[in-house]
Amino acid sequence: MSTALKVLARVMGVACVAIGVLHVVGGNAVIPGGENAGPTIDSLGRFFGAIFAGYGLAWLWAVRQAPVPASVVRVLSAIFLLGAVGRLLSLATAGSPHPFQIALLVLELALPPVFFWLADADADADADADADADEKRHGAAARS
């Protein structure tokens, strides 16, 4: 489980940084169905691309900690889920977006519960390793 958390968090971080940078560089041209959105949306998209890249860096920072901090995983997952809520609100008020956005919505609804479930995995594995090491030390001392 600890490995799954680390792999998923690293993939999430790299993907978010790449997508964010792509939006900063490409603007409206990289948004399916958004090519003709105009300069205001282009500016907004590039700004939020930078924010999304920073969000990805937060995932990459978290996965480099030992153990991976469960509270950070939960906060980052909740932020991702909030993005899905935003898409749902848009769907309800503005109508159906490009199908690619619907595919992203599915991921944004599916991944947070997985991260919430895995959030403690690395800390639990670390605690188990510490307990095993203590048991070995105490067992060796008792035999001597």
Side-chain angles (χ1 to χ4, degrees), residues 2-138:
S2 175
T3 301
L5 171 63
K6 289 177 180 178
V7 168
L8 281 174
R10 189 168 284 114
V11 168
M12 180 74 132
V14 169
C16 291
V17 169
I19 291 166
V21 169
L22 182 67
H23 280 266
V24 169
V25 173
N28 286 348
V30 300
I31 301 171
E35 300 83 8
N36 299 317
T40 300
I41 300 303
D42 184 77
S43 174
L44 183 68
R46 289 175 195 262
F47 173 81
F48 284 128
I51 299 297
F52 200 58
Y55 174 76
L57 291 174
W59 275 106
L60 294 174
W61 173 85
V63 78
R64 294 186 54 142
Q65 305 309 302
V68 175
S71 60
V72 174
V73 171
R74 287 187 190 99
V75 167
L76 291 172
S77 298
I79 292 168
F80 201 63
L81 185 58
L82 184 59
V85 170
R87 284 195 200 271
L88 288 171
L89 286 171
S90 178
L91 188 62
T93 60
S96 189
H98 188 279
F100 184 70
Q101 304 299 323
I102 299 295
L104 292 175
L105 173 61
V106 170
L107 283 175
E108 293 157 357
L109 290 170
L111 285 176
V114 173
F115 278 115
F116 287 133
W117 177 57
L118 290 173
D120 291 313
D122 199 39
D124 290 348
D126 199 41
D128 289 346
D130 288 346
D132 289 346
D134 287 345
E135 187 177 307
K136 286 179 183 177
R137 276 194 299 269
H138 290 108

